[in-house]
Every structure is written in C-alpha cells, then in structure tokens.
C-alpha cells in the first residue's frame, strides 16, 4: 500500500492556535529499522487519552478509528506524506479510541519494507481518522530523525486535525492547575472545573477577561518509572495551604517568576502512583490570573507569543525557567 499527498503551509516550530478534538497525553511513535534501512515495524502509543470537552462535537472514546502510518519529509514546504500502512482492527473487532493505550492494538508488522529514503529528512507519523467518514482526529509526527538498524521510541509533535493548517502543537508542558483550584471571578472564587468558555475571570491586574477555552487533562503518574515527565507531578507552594500546580506551570510570586519544577519556593507533593486531573484557561491573550490567591499563567499555545510577553517586561523566558 502506498499513497503520497502534499501538505501545504507547515510553519516549522510554531504551535497551533486551535485545539485537538482528542487529547493524547505523552504520545509516542515506535519504529523499527533494519540494517538495510528498511522500516519493518511501527506503532503509536499514548499514556492516556481524553476527549477535549471544549471541542464541538466531542468524539466518544468508543469512536471507531483507523491509524494511517505515514512517512513525512518535514524539511520542505510543502512537504509530502506517504502512507505505509493502516491499522483499524484489533482481536476484539474494530479499533476504537479507547483501545489505543495498548501497543498490541496499534502495532503493524509491515507487509513490505520501505527503503531508498533520506532518513535525515524523513520522520514517521500517524494520522488518526474516524472509520465512518475519514474525519481526522489527530496527526502526529516524530520529533527526531530515524536511524538504521535500531528500534526508536520517541515523543511526537501534534498537528491540528485540519491538514491544511499544519502548525505544530506540542503535546508536552500542558499540565497546569489541579482540579479544585479556586479561580477569582467577578462573583468571587470558583473551582476551575466549574468554569466554561465565555465565563469571566479577573486577570492579575483585576481586569475582567473572558475565557476562550478550558483545557482538561488526566495524567497517570508512576514515580518508579525511570523515564518519566516530572512536569506531570504535583507541586505545592510552600507557605500556601491550597495552591498545587504541575511542574511546568509558571507562577508569579513576590520575588519574580517561578517554574515549580526548578524553584525552591515549591515542593514536590506527588504520590508514588496516582492520577492527576489538571485544568488550564486560555484567554484572548497570554496573561496571568488569580488562583488560590496567587498569580498564575494562562494557557499559551504559541511559544513566540510567550517569549514576547516577557521580553516586553525586560525579561528573557529561557532565563526564567532555569533552576533557582
């Protein structure tokens, strides 16, 4: 099976300003390449999968899907993708969104190998489509270059479901405020999980801002795993009885900006094993709002916007996220 098509307008390194219909937490693609530079096996996995409750219409977890494994040349614009295999059934029947946790449900032993490629420019990817109408629910491309005679597992970039849009959406660093966090609104403090698109909150300057979208993620944490994203962990602000955020969520305190994972103003309070439910709020502009009496950042999907925000304040973002 071979199919080649062209993807227009990839904006390298940017994040999408739109939301995926399905949230795949810690998605990875695993590829096996033999010593003849031939791809022999490929599979897609994610630590867990949640539907996006701000997306309309929201797909159900039992939606039947098919996985199109592709090879993408991401160094050209437009770049091409070539379908090398399709997975749409399991031993139990048609593949569903909720089946994608298990590698055995997404694994393909290719019927024919693929060779003759410049692996420096080619990256594997997967397009996730609904079986009934081919609507695209997700599109992922591996972040690193492939190498011969190896099996490589690596995180991926997310590309918005509209294949004509093509801006990269990073799947990392999206963990934010713990469920139950109280957000300051014109009607007083409200739990973050009770807020919806269009609701009003106060920013750190006590100006009223409307919520553009609400992001929700449930992540499984196992501290016994050697390779894990510590940004998923829960971090508690010392001296504050309430505020708990994920490790990569920027907070503004009396002495400046702090990234909890690198700050001595926070302590890791993550249990050895558990599930964390996180929320974040997107406003019309990147900003800070009040959570449990503390200034915290809003959701920002474009790195250049975030960097510009701090540069306007005489700060360099990469300096702010260093260990303190």
């Amino acid at each position: 099976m071979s199919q080649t098509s062209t993807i227009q307008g990839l904006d390298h390194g940017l994040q999408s300003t739109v939301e995926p219909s399905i949230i795949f937490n810690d998605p990875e693609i695993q590829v096996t390449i033999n010593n003849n530079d031939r791809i022999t096996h490929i599979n897609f996995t994610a630590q867990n999968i949640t539907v996006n409750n701000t997306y309309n219409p929201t797909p159900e977890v039992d939606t039947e899907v098919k996985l199109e494994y592709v090879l993408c040349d991401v160094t050209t614009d437009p770049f091409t993708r070539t379908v090398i295999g399709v997975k749409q059934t399991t031993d139990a029947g048609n593949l569903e969104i909720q089946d994608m946790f298990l590698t055995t449900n997404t694994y393909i032993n290719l019927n024919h190998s693929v060779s003759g490629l410049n692996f420096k420019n080619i990256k594997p990817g997967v397009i996730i489509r609904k079986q009934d109408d081919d609507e695209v629910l997700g599109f992922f491309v591996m972040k690193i270059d492939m190498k011969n005679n190896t099996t490589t597992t690596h995180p991926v970039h997310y590309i918005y479901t509209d294949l004509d849009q093509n801006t990269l959406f990073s799947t990392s660093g999206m963990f934010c405020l713990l469920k139950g966090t109280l957000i300051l609104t014109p009607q007083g403090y409200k739990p973050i999980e009770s807020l919806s698109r269009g609701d009003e909150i106060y920013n750190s300057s006590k100006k009223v801002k409307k919520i553009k979208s609400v992001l929700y993620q449930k992540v499984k944490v196992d501290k016994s795993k050697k390779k894990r994203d510590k940004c998923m962990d829960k971090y508690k602000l010392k001296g504050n009885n309430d505020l708990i955020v994920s490790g990569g969520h920027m907070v503004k305190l009396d002495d400046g900006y702090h990234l909890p994972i690198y700050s001595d103003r926070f302590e890791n309070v993550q249990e050895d094993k558990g599930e964390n439910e996180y929320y974040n709020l997107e406003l019309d502009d990147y900003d800070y709002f009040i959570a449990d009496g503390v200034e915290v950042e809003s959701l920002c999907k474009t790195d250049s916007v975030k960097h510009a925000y701090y540069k306007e304040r005489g700060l360099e973002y990469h300096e702010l996220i260093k260990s303190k």
Side-chain angles (χ1 to χ4, degrees), residues 23-28 44-49 100-102 140:
I23 298 171
F24 299 84
N25 296 315
D26 289 343
E28 293 181 333
F44 171 85
T45 61
Q47 185 179 85
N48 53 65
I49 301 168
M100 294 171 58
F101 293 107
L102 298 177
F140 297 87

Side-chain angles (χ1 to χ4, degrees), residues 123-240:
K123 299 183 190 298
V126 59
I127 301 171
I128 303 166
R129 297 182 184 271
K130 291 172 64 176
Q131 287 195 25
D132 58 358
D133 60 8
D134 275 352
E135 176 190 351
V136 178
L137 299 178
F139 182 15
F140 297 87
V141 176
M142 185 180 279
K143 293 180 180 179
I144 64 172
D145 297 327
M146 296 184 291
K147 298 179 181 179
N148 68 335
N149 197 23
T150 186
T151 297
T152 303
T153 303
H154 204 271
V156 294
H157 283 299
Y158 177 78
I159 299 180
Y160 182 56
T161 56
D162 180 356
L163 296 185
D164 293 328
Q165 185 145 346
N166 289 309
T167 48
L168 294 176
F169 182 94
S170 173
T171 56
S172 62
M174 299 300 288
F175 323 105
C176 304
L177 304 169
L178 196 67
K179 180 179 179 180
T181 301
L182 297 178
I183 308 302
L184 185 59
T185 78
Q187 293 76 40
Y189 280 98
K190 294 183 178 181
I192 192 168
E193 64 270 20
S194 70
L195 300 175
S196 303
R197 186 200 306 263
D199 288 349
E200 294 181 338
I201 65 171
Y202 282 127
N203 71 358
S204 57
S205 300
K206 296 295 180 67
K207 294 181 180 179
V208 174
K209 298 288 184 177
K210 280 194 174 183
I211 297 173
K212 183 177 180 180
S213 66
V214 180
L215 179 75
Y216 167 77
Q217 289 177 293
K218 180 186 289 185
V219 296
K220 294 181 179 178
V221 179
D222 184 349
K223 294 176 70 173
S224 66
K225 290 185 176 180
K226 293 182 179 180
K227 293 183 178 180
R228 66 184 189 88
D229 186 357
K230 292 184 179 179
C231 283
M232 291 183 183
D233 290 0
K234 297 186 289 189
Y235 287 79
K236 185 177 184 297
L237 176 61
K238 295 176 181 178
N240 184 299

Side-chain angles (χ1 to χ4, degrees), residues 41-183:
H41 307 91
I42 190 168
N43 68 271
F44 171 85
T45 61
Q47 185 179 85
N48 53 65
I49 301 168
T50 56
V51 296
N52 187 342
N53 60 2
T54 65
Y55 184 87
N56 187 26
T58 299
E60 301 294 335
V61 293
D62 60 355
T63 299
E64 294 179 347
V65 293
K66 61 180 177 182
L67 310 183
E68 290 182 355
Y69 288 106
V70 297
L71 297 180
C72 301
D73 185 344
V74 298
T75 63
T76 61
D77 189 3
F79 69 87
T80 59
R81 68 181 188 272
T82 302
V83 179
I84 58 172
V86 176
K87 179 75 172 183
Q88 59 184 16
T89 60
T90 69
D91 292 340
N94 287 339
L95 178 67
E96 298 178 356
I97 291 173
Q98 60 192 357
D99 298 328
M100 294 171 58
F101 293 107
L102 298 177
T103 300
T104 52
N105 291 332
T106 63
Y107 179 89
I108 285 185
N109 185 346
L110 295 179
N111 293 326
H112 63 277
S113 299
V114 180
S115 61
L117 299 172
N118 179 353
F119 287 109
K120 184 177 181 180
N121 296 337
I122 299 295
K123 299 183 190 298
V126 59
I127 301 171
I128 303 166
R129 297 182 184 271
K130 291 172 64 176
Q131 287 195 25
D132 58 358
D133 60 8
D134 275 352
E135 176 190 351
V136 178
L137 299 178
F139 182 15
F140 297 87
V141 176
M142 185 180 279
K143 293 180 180 179
I144 64 172
D145 297 327
M146 296 184 291
K147 298 179 181 179
N148 68 335
N149 197 23
T150 186
T151 297
T152 303
T153 303
H154 204 271
V156 294
H157 283 299
Y158 177 78
I159 299 180
Y160 182 56
T161 56
D162 180 356
L163 296 185
D164 293 328
Q165 185 145 346
N166 289 309
T167 48
L168 294 176
F169 182 94
S170 173
T171 56
S172 62
M174 299 300 288
F175 323 105
C176 304
L177 304 169
L178 196 67
K179 180 179 179 180
T181 301
L182 297 178
I183 308 302

